[in-house]
Amino acid sequence: GPLTVTADLAAARAYYERIAALCMSLGWAPYLPHAENDPEKHPDVPAEEVFKRDMAKLLRADLVVAFVGAPSLGVGAELALAVNNKIPVLAIHRPDERVSRFVIGMLARHGDRVLTVDDAAMDFELPGAMLTQVKKAK
């Protein structure tokens, strides 16, 4: 999800970490970009290095889990790269958030999923088809 242009970076980090914890509970090893490239905690990391690190992780991923509830040029670019490289995507947003129709269309066209997740519960299960797709990608 967005890091550079977010109203509350601490809240964004916490939300992404909750999603990562759910992924870890499934036995996955999530990559959280803010762990290495946080705009406040790592302001001296050059833009080219941020791109290099994130691209390396993205291209090795079995699945991209992305928060799409807030506009982000970086997330949009990552989603396009994932789709172009045939990496499955699971996009997440809260019920009250509007998601770009272009992003929804792009993901739907490639068989990826967009889930509305209740922020209070955060106890969703990934769709069986997505889990099958991830297993096939390994």
Side-chain angles (χ1 to χ4, degrees), residues 47-123:
E48 294 84 3
E49 183 63 22
V50 170
F51 175 75
K52 180 180 160 187
R53 290 175 184 178
D54 285 354
M55 278 296 295
K57 297 288 186 173
L58 179 89
L59 293 176
R60 287 196 309 263
D62 294 317
L63 172 70
V64 171
V65 179
F67 172 67
V68 296
S72 170
L73 292 172
V75 173
E78 290 167 345
L79 292 175
L81 288 164
V83 165
N84 192 47
N85 284 282
K86 299 180 180 19
I87 300 167
V89 174
L90 175 63
I92 298 171
H93 68 93
R94 296 176 182 105
D96 60 337
E97 294 166 332
R98 292 181 59 192
V99 180
S100 162
R101 292 184 304 157
F102 181 89
V103 167
I104 292 171
M106 175 181 67
L107 297 177
R109 172 122 182 162
H110 290 89
D112 294 319
R113 300 293 299 263
V114 178
L115 293 180
T116 303
V117 178
D118 184 320
D119 191 38
M122 269 292 219
D123 61 356

